[in-house]
Amino acid sequence: MLTDRPIRYSVAVATPRETESLAAPISTVRANSLVPRHVPESGASFRTSVVWSEPARHDWLASRLAAKRAATGLLKASAIDERDIDIVRDGRDSRWGTQVTARHVAGRTRTRQLSLPLSLSISLSHANGHAIAAAAHHPARIGVDLERDGRIASGHADYFLAPRERKLQHFVSLTALWALKESAWKALGCGDTTPFAELELLFDAGSCVRAVRLGAMVIPAVAELRRPWPGWVAAVVVLNGVTE
């Protein structure tokens, strides 16, 4: 059933300029931190300069910074400091990248760190050192995507758009439609076995996303498009009441 109840969420960004000051002193990261998929996980820390290229490291830093900001923005009332939020892998990797969760660092000693899981849905996207992240309270699920303007060519429309979505090309650019669908895909947690075109965005008369259809499921949704920087487009899709 569709509902008009507002879904509260938070969006934040990070830029290459911000990560330049963070990258220099960082030589190690914990194995459970948000890291590129090609980095082997182990119980020991490792040197980022050995296993990462500089672009990958800056993407990681920007993603983590944006995600911490998004989580902090959503938790304003709780007074949790950004420095006490950890963004970590949750063990699931999908077609669209690493799945992450947020933890509150509730206490530290010289040898240990006590972290408690936060009941948040976190999504992030990055490219060329730029990153955007979004957070929403469970049971809502959120997805976000960041793309360069004009990245999607007109010849790709039949690949990823459902018949009813193609009518929106006169009002929404192909790159924006791609970003919206990818955001919805992330929010649903779809895997490689589900064709991208099988997911459909349902729009109202004002060309606003009101729901997402996948097979027989119709999930209430809110969505927005943003232009965080010139030449970039970002999409956020929030689904209401999706369960695992």
Side-chain angles (χ1 to χ4, degrees), residues 28 53-54 60 89 129 137 148 164 203 229-230:
T28 61
S53 66
E54 280 303 301
W60 170 72
R89 294 177 64 156
H137 290 288
R148 281 284 196 181
R164 283 183 291 190
F203 294 83
W229 310 281

Side-chain angles (χ1 to χ4, degrees), residues 164-232:
R164 283 183 291 190
E165 292 171 333
R166 293 171 196 160
K167 300 176 183 177
L168 272 295
Q169 295 180 62
H170 301 293
F171 308 99
V172 185
S173 72
L174 278 178
T175 301
L177 286 169
W178 174 277
L180 284 167
K181 293 201 71 167
E182 189 162 337
S183 297
W185 189 280
K186 289 179 178 180
L188 281 168
C190 295
D192 291 343
T193 57
T194 304
F196 198 24
E198 194 170 303
L199 181 150
E200 182 181 4
L201 303 172
L202 303 181
F203 294 83
D204 63 14
S207 301
C208 295
V209 175
R210 288 298 179 229
V212 175
R213 185 194 304 277
L214 184 63
M217 293 190 303
V218 177
I219 305 105
V222 294
E224 65 167 309
L225 291 169
R226 295 190 176 202
R227 291 194 172 273
W229 310 281
W232 295 85

